[in-house]
Amino acid sequence: ERNIKLEEKITMLQQQNEELRARIEQNTVITRQLSEENANLQEYVEKEVEEKKKLSRTNEELLWKLQEGDAVSPVKLPPTSPTSFYRCSSGNSSPAKVRTLRR
């Protein structure tokens, strides 16, 4: 009778062992998938960071060019009085064709 109980316990432990091995295998598959997804996300983040840096540099360059353009412009236009401008007779509204009214 003692042998029967021990054999039943062995059978139960073998089943638990198989279940645990299956869970380990399943967890290994999930771990691989998550590692791949993590690597893809890290690559995506790195690309986004580089794009953000590039856009920031472009923005700074454009702001610098805008400020430099204002500094070398022969005619400075007052930013708060849009009514003091006349358009050229061509009717073109580009900023290069706008003159300041002198009083």
Side-chain angles (χ1 to χ4, degrees):
E1 185 154 322
R2 186 169 182 229
N3 282 347
I4 293 174
K5 286 186 179 184
L6 288 174
E7 286 177 5
E8 288 174 356
K9 190 166 188 171
I10 288 173
T11 303
M12 182 188 71
L13 290 172
Q14 286 175 336
Q15 288 173 347
Q16 284 180 348
N17 192 17
E18 287 178 28
E19 290 172 6
L20 289 173
R21 286 179 196 252
R23 287 175 61 186
I24 288 172
E25 190 175 318
Q26 186 179 19
N27 285 341
T28 301
V29 169
I30 291 172
T31 300
R32 282 190 195 120
Q33 291 173 344
L34 290 174
S35 291
E36 280 183 37
E37 185 177 345
N38 186 38
N40 290 338
L41 288 171
Q42 283 181 335
E43 185 178 328
Y44 174 78
V45 166
E46 287 173 13
K47 286 180 181 178
E48 288 292 315
V49 166
E50 286 304 313
E51 183 66 21
K52 184 178 178 183
K53 286 179 183 177
K54 181 180 174 184
L55 289 172
S56 180
R57 285 190 301 266
T58 302
N59 189 36
E60 287 179 23
E61 181 181 331
L62 290 172
L63 284 172
W64 182 83
K65 285 181 179 180
L66 183 64
Q67 290 171 352
E68 286 298 307
D70 285 348
V72 297
S73 176
V75 176
K76 281 208 168 193
L77 303 176
T80 57
S81 77
T83 58
S84 66
F85 302 120
Y86 282 117
R87 300 203 186 275
C88 288
S89 59
S90 68
N92 190 339
S93 62
S94 71
K97 304 249 180 182
V98 176
R99 288 188 237 154
T100 304
L101 175 63
R102 301 217 177 223
R103 294 183 185 194

